[in-house]
Amino acid sequence: MNTPEWFYDERVQRIAPEKLKLLMSLAQQLEGKTSQKEMLPVLMGAAASASRRGLSFTRDEFDLIFRIMKEGKSAEEQAQMDRTLEKAQKLFSKR
């Protein structure tokens, strides 16, 4: 897997190294997946793994990462990402 461009963004480098490692693992697992059906189980697994390790992202960290990941994407790709995020947030808020 190639390192995603967003990983090199200087804004991301302010995030703790253990969180960045988790993000890289997540990016690797999501590579090539495009549908909500494919992405949600991976996202849920990553959230559970982070929780077990005592890692959590602040709202600002999460928003930053998501904004950077959307940069340069088409309007349709950004909309798909927004829908997936919305669905994931609904699932996580039920817990």
Side-chain angles (χ1 to χ4, degrees):
M1 177 191 118
N2 294 327
T3 302
E5 288 181 37
W6 57 262
F7 185 79
Y8 298 108
D9 190 294
E10 66 183 40
R11 298 168 290 179
V12 171
Q13 298 309 312
R14 291 180 244 145
I15 297 173
E18 62 274 6
K19 292 180 184 181
L20 290 177
K21 185 176 178 181
L22 178 69
L23 286 174
M24 287 300 297
S25 173
L26 178 60
Q28 186 175 31
Q29 292 173 52
L30 289 173
E31 189 170 9
K33 292 177 175 46
T34 56
S35 72
Q36 289 181 6
K37 188 176 183 177
E38 293 175 309
M39 288 190 261
L40 281 175
V42 175
L43 292 171
M44 292 179 72
S49 174
S51 179
R52 283 191 304 273
R53 294 165 49 190
L55 296 175
S56 64
F57 291 88
T58 67
R59 183 71 185 168
D60 287 343
E61 288 173 332
F62 185 81
D63 288 345
L64 170 66
I65 293 162
F66 201 69
R67 260 194 332 272
I68 292 169
M69 290 174 72
K70 287 172 59 174
E71 289 175 1
K73 303 279 192 234
S74 70
E76 177 57 34
E77 289 171 314
Q78 289 184 19
Q80 176 68 32
M81 290 175 77
D82 288 337
R83 287 189 298 271
T84 300
L85 175 62
E86 215 172 279
K87 192 167 188 174
Q89 288 175 329
K90 286 179 185 175
L91 285 172
F92 293 131
S93 68
K94 290 179 182 177
R95 292 182 166 190

mmCIF file of all heavy atoms in Angstrom, residues 27-43 73 76-85:
data_model
loop_
_atom_site.group_PDB
_atom_site.id
_atom_site.type_symbol
_atom_site.label_atom_id
_atom_site.label_comp_id
_atom_site.label_asym_id
_atom_site.label_seq_id
_atom_site.Cartn_x
_atom_site.Cartn_y
_atom_site.Cartn_z
ATOM 1 N N ALA A 27 -6.462 3.155 6.743
ATOM 2 C CA ALA A 27 -6.363 3.512 5.326
ATOM 3 C C ALA A 27 -6.030 2.278 4.487
ATOM 4 O O ALA A 27 -6.585 2.079 3.402
ATOM 5 C CB ALA A 27 -5.318 4.601 5.127
ATOM 6 N N GLN A 28 -5.141 1.437 5.004
ATOM 7 C CA GLN A 28 -4.757 0.219 4.295
ATOM 8 C C GLN A 28 -5.960 -0.718 4.153
ATOM 9 O O GLN A 28 -6.198 -1.290 3.093
ATOM 10 C CB GLN A 28 -3.627 -0.477 5.037
ATOM 11 C CG GLN A 28 -3.059 -1.662 4.323
ATOM 12 C CD GLN A 28 -1.857 -2.245 5.058
ATOM 13 O OE1 GLN A 28 -1.764 -2.185 6.281
ATOM 14 N NE2 GLN A 28 -0.937 -2.801 4.305
ATOM 15 N N GLN A 29 -6.731 -0.854 5.217
ATOM 16 C CA GLN A 29 -7.890 -1.740 5.178
ATOM 17 C C GLN A 29 -8.997 -1.207 4.264
ATOM 18 O O GLN A 29 -9.761 -1.976 3.691
ATOM 19 C CB GLN A 29 -8.450 -1.927 6.588
ATOM 20 C CG GLN A 29 -7.523 -2.698 7.496
ATOM 21 C CD GLN A 29 -8.052 -2.716 8.918
ATOM 22 O OE1 GLN A 29 -9.202 -3.076 9.136
ATOM 23 N NE2 GLN A 29 -7.222 -2.333 9.873
ATOM 24 N N LEU A 30 -9.094 0.118 4.140
ATOM 25 C CA LEU A 30 -10.143 0.729 3.319
ATOM 26 C C LEU A 30 -9.755 0.856 1.848
ATOM 27 O O LEU A 30 -10.606 1.148 1.015
ATOM 28 C CB LEU A 30 -10.510 2.118 3.862
ATOM 29 C CG LEU A 30 -11.278 2.137 5.168
ATOM 30 C CD1 LEU A 30 -11.427 3.561 5.680
ATOM 31 C CD2 LEU A 30 -12.638 1.474 5.013
ATOM 32 N N GLU A 31 -8.500 0.621 1.541
ATOM 33 C CA GLU A 31 -8.022 0.794 0.172
ATOM 34 C C GLU A 31 -8.847 -0.062 -0.791
ATOM 35 O O GLU A 31 -9.049 -1.252 -0.583
ATOM 36 C CB GLU A 31 -6.546 0.407 0.084
ATOM 37 C CG GLU A 31 -5.937 0.780 -1.245
ATOM 38 C CD GLU A 31 -4.431 0.612 -1.241
ATOM 39 O OE1 GLU A 31 -3.871 0.061 -0.276
ATOM 40 O OE2 GLU A 31 -3.818 1.042 -2.211
ATOM 41 N N GLY A 32 -9.358 0.594 -1.817
ATOM 42 C CA GLY A 32 -10.135 -0.096 -2.838
ATOM 43 C C GLY A 32 -11.602 -0.272 -2.508
ATOM 44 O O GLY A 32 -12.383 -0.677 -3.353
ATOM 45 N N LYS A 33 -11.990 0.026 -1.298
ATOM 46 C CA LYS A 33 -13.397 -0.096 -0.913
ATOM 47 C C LYS A 33 -14.100 1.218 -1.233
ATOM 48 O O LYS A 33 -13.586 2.281 -0.938
ATOM 49 C CB LYS A 33 -13.521 -0.429 0.561
ATOM 50 C CG LYS A 33 -13.003 -1.826 0.886
ATOM 51 C CD LYS A 33 -13.057 -2.115 2.354
ATOM 52 C CE LYS A 33 -12.681 -3.519 2.715
ATOM 53 N NZ LYS A 33 -11.509 -4.069 2.093
ATOM 54 N N THR A 34 -15.274 1.127 -1.833
ATOM 55 C CA THR A 34 -15.962 2.348 -2.241
ATOM 56 C C THR A 34 -17.381 2.460 -1.703
ATOM 57 O O THR A 34 -17.907 3.552 -1.599
ATOM 58 C CB THR A 34 -16.019 2.447 -3.777
ATOM 59 O OG1 THR A 34 -16.642 1.259 -4.290
ATOM 60 C CG2 THR A 34 -14.626 2.585 -4.376
ATOM 61 N N SER A 35 -17.973 1.347 -1.337
ATOM 62 C CA SER A 35 -19.362 1.407 -0.895
ATOM 63 C C SER A 35 -19.454 1.424 0.628
ATOM 64 O O SER A 35 -18.545 0.986 1.333
ATOM 65 C CB SER A 35 -20.153 0.204 -1.424
ATOM 66 O OG SER A 35 -19.766 -0.973 -0.737
ATOM 67 N N GLN A 36 -20.572 1.958 1.104
ATOM 68 C CA GLN A 36 -20.816 1.965 2.547
ATOM 69 C C GLN A 36 -20.792 0.546 3.099
ATOM 70 O O GLN A 36 -20.270 0.308 4.180
ATOM 71 C CB GLN A 36 -22.174 2.604 2.850
ATOM 72 C CG GLN A 36 -22.229 4.081 2.630
ATOM 73 C CD GLN A 36 -23.592 4.653 2.958
ATOM 74 O OE1 GLN A 36 -24.478 3.963 3.454
ATOM 75 N NE2 GLN A 36 -23.773 5.918 2.671
ATOM 76 N N LYS A 37 -21.351 -0.380 2.351
ATOM 77 C CA LYS A 37 -21.423 -1.773 2.794
ATOM 78 C C LYS A 37 -20.027 -2.352 3.028
ATOM 79 O O LYS A 37 -19.824 -3.145 3.944
ATOM 80 C CB LYS A 37 -22.178 -2.596 1.750
ATOM 81 C CG LYS A 37 -22.480 -4.005 2.171
ATOM 82 C CD LYS A 37 -23.316 -4.704 1.134
ATOM 83 C CE LYS A 37 -23.681 -6.098 1.598
ATOM 84 N NZ LYS A 37 -24.547 -6.794 0.666
ATOM 85 N N GLU A 38 -19.074 -1.934 2.217
ATOM 86 C CA GLU A 38 -17.696 -2.409 2.368
ATOM 87 C C GLU A 38 -16.958 -1.669 3.476
ATOM 88 O O GLU A 38 -16.148 -2.254 4.188
ATOM 89 C CB GLU A 38 -16.911 -2.202 1.070
ATOM 90 C CG GLU A 38 -17.358 -3.053 -0.091
ATOM 91 C CD GLU A 38 -16.613 -2.688 -1.359
ATOM 92 O OE1 GLU A 38 -16.565 -1.496 -1.720
ATOM 93 O OE2 GLU A 38 -16.064 -3.617 -1.970
ATOM 94 N N MET A 39 -17.227 -0.371 3.607
ATOM 95 C CA MET A 39 -16.458 0.461 4.526
ATOM 96 C C MET A 39 -16.914 0.389 5.979
ATOM 97 O O MET A 39 -16.078 0.424 6.891
ATOM 98 C CB MET A 39 -16.494 1.925 4.073
ATOM 99 C CG MET A 39 -15.666 2.184 2.842
ATOM 100 S SD MET A 39 -15.523 3.939 2.524
ATOM 101 C CE MET A 39 -16.755 4.166 1.274
ATOM 102 N N LEU A 40 -18.202 0.291 6.210
ATOM 103 C CA LEU A 40 -18.702 0.348 7.587
ATOM 104 C C LEU A 40 -18.139 -0.725 8.507
ATOM 105 O O LEU A 40 -17.745 -0.419 9.635
ATOM 106 C CB LEU A 40 -20.226 0.351 7.603
ATOM 107 C CG LEU A 40 -20.852 1.699 7.278
ATOM 108 C CD1 LEU A 40 -22.376 1.579 7.193
ATOM 109 C CD2 LEU A 40 -20.468 2.757 8.285
ATOM 110 N N PRO A 41 -18.061 -1.989 8.093
ATOM 111 C CA PRO A 41 -17.474 -2.988 8.999
ATOM 112 C C PRO A 41 -16.022 -2.664 9.362
ATOM 113 O O PRO A 41 -15.600 -2.888 10.500
ATOM 114 C CB PRO A 41 -17.563 -4.298 8.212
ATOM 115 C CG PRO A 41 -18.600 -4.070 7.176
ATOM 116 C CD PRO A 41 -18.570 -2.607 6.865
ATOM 117 N N VAL A 42 -15.279 -2.128 8.405
ATOM 118 C CA VAL A 42 -13.884 -1.767 8.658
ATOM 119 C C VAL A 42 -13.821 -0.612 9.661
ATOM 120 O O VAL A 42 -13.033 -0.630 10.612
ATOM 121 C CB VAL A 42 -13.166 -1.397 7.339
ATOM 122 C CG1 VAL A 42 -11.748 -0.911 7.612
ATOM 123 C CG2 VAL A 42 -13.147 -2.585 6.387
ATOM 124 N N LEU A 43 -14.675 0.390 9.447
ATOM 125 C CA LEU A 43 -14.703 1.539 10.353
ATOM 126 C C LEU A 43 -15.102 1.112 11.765
ATOM 127 O O LEU A 43 -14.513 1.559 12.749
ATOM 128 C CB LEU A 43 -15.667 2.610 9.840
ATOM 129 C CG LEU A 43 -15.240 3.318 8.558
ATOM 130 C CD1 LEU A 43 -16.372 4.188 8.026
ATOM 131 C CD2 LEU A 43 -13.992 4.142 8.797
ATOM 132 N N LYS A 73 -11.133 15.441 -4.180
ATOM 133 C CA LYS A 73 -12.102 14.439 -4.630
ATOM 134 C C LYS A 73 -13.212 15.141 -5.415
ATOM 135 O O LYS A 73 -13.489 16.321 -5.225
ATOM 136 C CB LYS A 73 -12.735 13.712 -3.440
ATOM 137 C CG LYS A 73 -11.744 13.028 -2.529
ATOM 138 C CD LYS A 73 -11.325 11.718 -3.083
ATOM 139 C CE LYS A 73 -10.579 10.918 -2.044
ATOM 140 N NZ LYS A 73 -9.302 10.467 -2.438
ATOM 141 N N GLU A 76 -19.101 14.030 -6.248
ATOM 142 C CA GLU A 76 -19.782 12.751 -5.986
ATOM 143 C C GLU A 76 -19.023 11.932 -4.944
ATOM 144 O O GLU A 76 -19.615 11.344 -4.042
ATOM 145 C CB GLU A 76 -19.941 11.944 -7.275
ATOM 146 C CG GLU A 76 -20.572 10.573 -7.073
ATOM 147 C CD GLU A 76 -21.940 10.600 -6.406
ATOM 148 O OE1 GLU A 76 -22.716 11.553 -6.633
ATOM 149 O OE2 GLU A 76 -22.238 9.666 -5.624
ATOM 150 N N GLU A 77 -17.691 11.897 -5.061
ATOM 151 C CA GLU A 77 -16.887 11.164 -4.073
ATOM 152 C C GLU A 77 -17.026 11.797 -2.686
ATOM 153 O O GLU A 77 -17.141 11.081 -1.690
ATOM 154 C CB GLU A 77 -15.413 11.163 -4.488
ATOM 155 C CG GLU A 77 -15.116 10.286 -5.680
ATOM 156 C CD GLU A 77 -13.697 10.476 -6.190
ATOM 157 O OE1 GLU A 77 -13.239 11.630 -6.329
ATOM 158 O OE2 GLU A 77 -13.040 9.447 -6.443
ATOM 159 N N GLN A 78 -17.034 13.110 -2.627
ATOM 160 C CA GLN A 78 -17.196 13.794 -1.350
ATOM 161 C C GLN A 78 -18.570 13.502 -0.747
ATOM 162 O O GLN A 78 -18.687 13.264 0.456
ATOM 163 C CB GLN A 78 -17.002 15.302 -1.516
ATOM 164 C CG GLN A 78 -15.575 15.690 -1.773
ATOM 165 C CD GLN A 78 -15.374 17.188 -1.839
ATOM 166 O OE1 GLN A 78 -16.200 17.961 -1.363
ATOM 167 N NE2 GLN A 78 -14.278 17.613 -2.435
ATOM 168 N N ALA A 79 -19.591 13.496 -1.598
ATOM 169 C CA ALA A 79 -20.943 13.189 -1.118
ATOM 170 C C ALA A 79 -21.017 11.766 -0.580
ATOM 171 O O ALA A 79 -21.637 11.508 0.454
ATOM 172 C CB ALA A 79 -21.967 13.403 -2.237
ATOM 173 N N GLN A 80 -20.372 10.824 -1.275
ATOM 174 C CA GLN A 80 -20.349 9.429 -0.819
ATOM 175 C C GLN A 80 -19.650 9.329 0.529
ATOM 176 O O GLN A 80 -20.111 8.628 1.434
ATOM 177 C CB GLN A 80 -19.642 8.541 -1.855
ATOM 178 C CG GLN A 80 -19.474 7.098 -1.426
ATOM 179 C CD GLN A 80 -20.780 6.348 -1.326
ATOM 180 O OE1 GLN A 80 -21.712 6.619 -2.077
ATOM 181 N NE2 GLN A 80 -20.881 5.419 -0.405
ATOM 182 N N MET A 81 -18.538 10.044 0.684
ATOM 183 C CA MET A 81 -17.820 10.034 1.957
ATOM 184 C C MET A 81 -18.694 10.607 3.063
ATOM 185 O O MET A 81 -18.726 10.078 4.182
ATOM 186 C CB MET A 81 -16.519 10.828 1.829
ATOM 187 C CG MET A 81 -15.474 10.159 0.956
ATOM 188 S SD MET A 81 -14.014 11.188 0.697
ATOM 189 C CE MET A 81 -13.193 10.955 2.279
ATOM 190 N N ASP A 82 -19.409 11.680 2.754
ATOM 191 C CA ASP A 82 -20.296 12.296 3.748
ATOM 192 C C ASP A 82 -21.401 11.327 4.174
ATOM 193 O O ASP A 82 -21.719 11.216 5.358
ATOM 194 C CB ASP A 82 -20.925 13.582 3.200
ATOM 195 C CG ASP A 82 -19.934 14.735 3.103
ATOM 196 O OD1 ASP A 82 -18.914 14.712 3.826
ATOM 197 O OD2 ASP A 82 -20.191 15.658 2.308
ATOM 198 N N ARG A 83 -21.967 10.615 3.202
ATOM 199 C CA ARG A 83 -23.037 9.654 3.527
ATOM 200 C C ARG A 83 -22.496 8.521 4.402
ATOM 201 O O ARG A 83 -23.144 8.097 5.360
ATOM 202 C CB ARG A 83 -23.661 9.102 2.243
ATOM 203 C CG ARG A 83 -24.546 10.097 1.514
ATOM 204 C CD ARG A 83 -25.312 9.451 0.377
ATOM 205 N NE ARG A 83 -24.471 8.904 -0.667
ATOM 206 C CZ ARG A 83 -24.037 9.572 -1.735
ATOM 207 N NH1 ARG A 83 -24.346 10.834 -1.908
ATOM 208 N NH2 ARG A 83 -23.284 8.967 -2.643
ATOM 209 N N THR A 84 -21.324 8.028 4.073
ATOM 210 C CA THR A 84 -20.717 6.955 4.862
ATOM 211 C C THR A 84 -20.430 7.436 6.273
ATOM 212 O O THR A 84 -20.723 6.738 7.255
ATOM 213 C CB THR A 84 -19.424 6.465 4.193
ATOM 214 O OG1 THR A 84 -19.745 5.981 2.878
ATOM 215 C CG2 THR A 84 -18.768 5.362 4.998
ATOM 216 N N LEU A 85 -19.892 8.630 6.398
ATOM 217 C CA LEU A 85 -19.608 9.199 7.710
ATOM 218 C C LEU A 85 -20.882 9.366 8.527
ATOM 219 O O LEU A 85 -20.925 9.022 9.708
ATOM 220 C CB LEU A 85 -18.900 10.548 7.560
ATOM 221 C CG LEU A 85 -18.653 11.304 8.855
ATOM 222 C CD1 LEU A 85 -17.733 10.501 9.778
ATOM 223 C CD2 LEU A 85 -18.076 12.671 8.564
#
